[in-house]
Every structure is written in C-alpha cells, then in structure tokens.
Amino acid sequence: EYMGISLALTRSPPKPMAADAESIEDAFRTAVVGLVLQWPALAVAVESGWARSANAAACRDELTEEILAFVESAEELHSDELEDLIADLLGELFSMSMDDGSPRLVSTVICKMRREMLAGDRTEINKMIAFTAKARQARPAVPEAFNRSEDSDDDGDEEGDDGDDGEPADCADADAAPRSAKPEPDADGWVTVAPKKRR
C-alpha cells in the first residue's frame, strides 16, 4: 500500500525513469498518471464499461488530463476543491459517484506531491512512480476484457484505443455524433454549430 491506497493493477502504467532523466514537473505528471491508472474504484469502472463512451480508457485519460490541468493552473491548490472536481468528472465521464472515500484520498495524495514538487522535493513523486511500477511487475498480465465495454467484441485482434474493433478514439458520448463530424446545412443553406463541451 502507498499512503493507505491499495493500488489495483491496470493497463499500461508509466515506466519509472531515472531521477535525473526528466524534470520534476514531468515526473509529477507521470506520478499522477500512475496514481489514476492504479485507482482501484476507477479501474472497476473502466473494466465494467461504465464510461459515457465505449472507450472507457479514453474517458479515464480525459479525467487525468482535467485533473492535471486544474492542478497546474491553480495558484493555491486545495484538496477539497480538487476532490470536488474529481467528483464532478466522475459524474460527467462515468455517470457515477464514489462513496468509498477514494476521491478524497486521491486528491490528498496529489496535493501532497504538488506541494513537495513546488518545494523542489521529488521524494513522494519518485515513491509513487516506483510503487506503480512495482505493482505492474508483480502482475503484468491484464485481463482480456480490460478497458472494453461489456458489449464490445472480445475476439478483436487488436488491443488499444485505436484498434479495429470499432471503439471510438476519444471519450465522446456513446449516443452522440463524432466530434469530427461536420454539421450539414439545412434547406436554406444555414449551418447550426453545436456548443462546445466544458474542458
């Protein structure tokens, strides 16, 4: 366990790098990515296909990027505000809420690493990177159904977000038109542009 977190094994955890091989900012991002990838409750959501998209892994990645964008843009980072953001993202991207206390614990760990990063201390960051790497080495095998929705084709020949099994490459709503689709003009030649989603 790390700070009370029993990390689940998920797909493609970040590989550790030598202490001087990357900047402390990049190491912080690597640690946050690893923490989210190994988050047990979120891993269950991804594996069970609870995301708004058939590509649950892309929704998890979007959640991670939203967290990093919030953390890196905050003048003063408070764990309760980060916890609220995570709760909102879980509802938006996975239509779920977590009552196990894990969003608070994840936000607390991220804030602790962020504070130490700003102080030039990468001790906890390196511990997180090493811990997630060790967890992967302990059990590298990943269930075939992981990162797939319940109704996806388990006999697909390709793995990954951009495989040939028909999964969308991003976290678009399952019932929505693709983000890249161009709007069609109406009978009068006018084109209606849909409002952008929150980023």
Side-chain angles (χ1 to χ4, degrees):
E1 294 188 355
Y2 178 86
M3 293 186 67
I5 299 177
S6 179
L7 299 183
L9 292 161
T10 62
R11 188 177 192 168
S12 303
K15 295 181 179 180
M17 300 182 69
D20 298 328
E22 59 181 345
S23 69
I24 191 170
E25 291 82 6
D26 289 340
F28 170 76
R29 291 180 63 90
T30 299
V32 172
V33 170
L35 174 60
V36 175
L37 280 169
Q38 305 286 2
W39 184 356
L42 184 59
V44 171
V46 172
E47 184 176 1
S48 302
W50 295 344
R52 73 182 186 191
S53 164
N55 191 340
C59 290
R60 178 197 59 208
D61 294 344
E62 182 172 330
L63 180 146
T64 306
E65 287 303 318
E66 292 277 6
I67 290 173
L68 284 168
F70 178 83
V71 170
E72 293 171 348
S73 64
E75 293 184 2
E76 292 186 10
L77 184 62
H78 301 284
S79 62
D80 56 342
E81 294 178 354
L82 180 56
E83 180 186 355
D84 289 342
L85 172 72
I86 291 173
D88 289 343
L89 290 171
L90 289 172
E92 177 184 338
L93 302 177
F94 289 89
S95 301
M96 65 179 295
S97 61
M98 295 184 185
D99 299 325
D100 61 351
S102 59
R104 174 174 297 180
L105 187 53
V106 168
S107 65
T108 299
V109 172
I110 291 174
C111 289
K112 178 178 174 60
M113 292 192 297
R114 176 69 172 174
R115 286 194 302 270
E116 294 191 358
M117 185 206 77
L118 293 176
D121 183 357
R122 57 195 302 161
T123 302
E124 295 301 323
I125 293 173
N126 287 342
K127 284 182 180 179
M128 177 60 70
I129 294 174
F131 186 72
T132 54
K134 183 178 180 180
R136 182 192 181 197
Q137 293 172 358
R139 186 183 171 191
V142 178
E144 185 66 24
F146 194 81
N147 286 336
R148 297 173 181 267
S149 63
E150 293 179 352
D151 59 351
S152 65
D153 180 8
D154 291 337
D155 295 328
D157 293 329
E158 298 290 335
E159 285 186 310
D161 298 342
D162 296 323
D164 297 329
D165 54 6
E167 290 183 353
D170 60 11
C171 187
D173 290 334
D175 298 329
R179 294 181 183 180
S180 60
K182 296 181 180 179
E184 296 293 336
D186 58 21
D188 297 324
W190 292 94
V191 175
T192 301
V193 180
K196 293 182 179 180
K197 294 184 178 180
R198 179 188 65 79
R199 292 297 303 169

